[in-house]
Amino acid sequence: MRSRTAKRIGSLLPAYIPLYAWLIFTIILFGWVILASLSTTRDIFTNSLLGSGIHWSNYSGLFKDQGMGRYFANSVVYTVVSCIGIIAVAAPAAYILGRARFRGRALASTMFMSALAIPSILITIPLFSVFVALKLTGSVVTLVIVYICTNVPFGVFFLTGFFSSIPKEFEESAAMDGCGPIRTFVSIILPVAQPGIVTLSIFNFLGVWNEYFYALIFANDSSARTLALSLQSIVYGFANTGNYGGIFAACMVVFLPSFAVYLFVSKRIIAGLTVGAVKG
Amino acid sequence: MKMNKSIIALFLLPAVLIYLVIFLYPTLRTLAMSFYDIPSLSSQFAEWHYVGLLNYKDLMHSPYFVSSMKNVLGIWAIGGVLIFAFAFLYAVILASKVRGTHFWRSVIFLPNTVSAVVLSVVWLQYIFNSSYGLLTTVFRRLGLTALADIQWTDNEHIYFSMIIAFSFGSIGYFMLILNAGINRIPGDYYEAATLEGASQRVKFFAITLPLLRDVFRTTLVLWTITAFNFFVWSATFGLDDPHTVTPAFYMYQKVFGRGNNVYVEDAFNVGSGASVGILITLATLIASALISRLFPKDRLEY
């Protein structure tokens, strides 16, 4: 028995090599950046990270001189408002598509599916013209609208399955208690579908926090800029002035919030991602 | 279930309106714009000038656009091979009997959750840096001076450096899909094969690979859509280097580049940008149809 276990571990050994290679590379990558974000430029260039002690000033400088606090706040607003807005629009629609029988249901489902296949590059030019006409370019509202609207089709697609799997006894007993359809939806159905809504919101959080293309086009204005976009201009400036510690500190400011979320919910993200994709 | 018509309308209407205003209308308008010469983004329809297929013809004769198409095909091919090789390797490993599959999946998927701007900066300013970078440090330690002296971000190398850096951030997603596909294959098949005396190799080639055909098709279509719309890394990694320009980035430069781009000799024309969008979409549709042809839907049900 013992020799068999030993043999199994022996035959699996080659399988662990690529895994540990990836792990070590990841640790070096993020570990080095964390240490570099607390070092001076001289320490970085002489390969002696933290050689002159820990420099938190790399971080405080970002918020004091580069206005990163404002961009951080912008990104928080974009992410939070978009996540709520997407659910507010997509959940009722998905509920209807998942449960109600009516003429035009197939058409509506196909519609949202087809929207998933439309590349963002195809819709940006007319959208930009519309926002120019409405004098809304460069404002925070514009990007929030864009984020909510462009994520609704996936939200509908993702949530429809969750709603259709809820037993219809929930609505029946609610109706017997004299509960109207809107109240039934808000106070009975939504709580039951909570796992799906939370998973979708995690996707949306990461998606909006890291989004680049729409931000570049609709919010490339110092007052509306997102954190990721500001990182690019800060890095560009710091590379010219030679503040390399600041460059890596700025990376950490963008990276840490999404990493914190990922640490807590990676299981959920991975399970949610593979549900729809394998069905093909 | 029967529901009141007004409730159906109330719940469905916002999402349908968004579809019509944000997806359907802009798509049709972009299609129309691609046949016109349009002087600016805020032009009224009266200022549009019908030119037929001229925008498309001009693109085919623009050396910038032609090289951007070559770039994107290279990204599709090279990046595709890189991503699929690693994603499949890790998917197979994690479907075997290794311990801690959840942990390993999370670690391999981690780069996918990091902002492309952060990943670009880390690769450009750390891994590929020529004085204190990871690659040059490691190669110098190993005494491989020729490799240590490579300037990863100069004109000659930046295209391949970008593909490597981008692929690192994309492997995890494709690994998850392939891994879920392998795990879905019923264990009975392998047990029956073991009873018949099949080796690991035979089981892999006779069971795993054929039953993954549907998953391969899905992932290949997903990758093709991602690759053909390749934009973010051209903007964050390649910056303005013509070696890394893709059609999507070319369109951005032309229409939204605000005058500080490398294509100033081309006259500003929004319609031309629209036709780039149409071409990318057409290419995606055709490629997806071809892939579905090459991997017909498996009639095997399990």
Side-chain angles (χ1 to χ4, degrees), chain A residues 230-242 247, chain B residues 121 125 239:
Chain A
S230 79
L231 171 66
Q232 204 176 4
S233 61
I234 288 172
V235 167
Y236 190 75
F238 279 180
N240 283 334
T241 55
I247 287 180
Chain B
V121 173
Q125 305 291 350
L239 301 169

Side-chain angles (χ1 to χ4, degrees), chain B residues 76-242:
Chain B
W76 179 79
I78 304 167
V81 169
L82 263 181
I83 291 172
F84 270 83
F86 279 98
F88 192 59
L89 171 74
Y90 285 111
V92 170
I93 290 176
L94 291 179
S96 72
K97 294 187 176 73
V98 294
R99 277 149 183 263
T101 37
H102 171 63
F103 169 76
W104 291 115
R105 260 191 230 130
S106 307
V107 174
I108 295 167
F109 188 68
L110 172 67
N112 292 62
T113 67
V114 181
S115 156
V117 186
V118 174
L119 280 183
S120 298
V121 173
V122 170
W123 278 87
L124 283 174
Q125 305 291 350
Y126 172 46
I127 298 176
F128 289 142
N129 185 288
S130 56
S131 47
Y132 56 83
L134 178 69
L135 289 177
T136 188
T137 313
V138 169
F139 287 137
R140 222 178 279 147
R141 283 262 170 85
L142 296 171
L144 303 164
T145 40
L147 283 172
D149 289 342
I150 294 178
Q151 301 291 313
W152 295 96
T153 54
D154 68 3
N155 286 340
E156 201 187 324
H157 298 99
I158 192 153
Y159 179 61
F160 294 102
S161 303
M162 177 181 78
I163 294 178
I164 293 171
F166 166 78
S167 300
F168 170 70
S170 304
I171 289 168
Y173 178 62
F174 290 96
M175 179 277 293
L176 285 183
I177 299 175
L178 292 171
N179 180 248
I182 299 175
N183 285 337
R184 212 174 51 126
I185 299 173
D188 320 4
Y189 291 20
Y190 293 101
E191 276 166 35
T194 315
L195 288 178
E196 301 281 330
S199 68
Q200 287 291 346
R201 253 177 81 101
V202 170
K203 280 189 263 182
F204 180 75
F205 285 104
I207 300 176
T208 313
L209 279 189
L211 288 184
L212 276 181
R213 195 165 66 175
D214 278 0
V215 181
F216 280 136
R217 191 192 53 242
T218 315
T219 38
L220 199 54
V221 169
L222 279 174
W223 165 244
T224 306
I225 295 172
T226 314
F228 284 11
N229 286 289
F230 195 93
F231 171 84
V232 176
W233 284 72
S234 292
T236 60
F237 195 98
L239 301 169
D240 279 338
D241 195 307

Side-chain angles (χ1 to χ4, degrees), chain A residues 16 18 122 129 210 232 262, chain B residues 1 30 41 90 99 106 113 235:
Chain A
Y16 283 104
L122 202 56
S129 303
N210 293 332
Q232 204 176 4
Y262 184 62
Chain B
M1 203 174 66
T30 303
L41 275 163
Y90 285 111
R99 277 149 183 263
S106 307
T113 67

Side-chain angles (χ1 to χ4, degrees), chain B residues 225-277:
Chain B
I225 295 172
T226 314
F228 284 11
N229 286 289
F230 195 93
F231 171 84
V232 176
W233 284 72
S234 292
T236 60
F237 195 98
L239 301 169
D240 279 338
D241 195 307
H243 295 88
T244 62
V245 169
T246 58
F249 191 66
Y250 173 85
M251 182 228 108
Y252 166 79
Q253 288 278 40
K254 265 203 107 155
V255 177
F256 299 99
R258 297 187 174 95
N260 51 2
N261 62 54
V262 284
Y263 315 113
V264 273
E265 66 265 38
D266 300 356
F268 186 82
N269 174 11
V270 181
S272 166
S275 49
V276 175

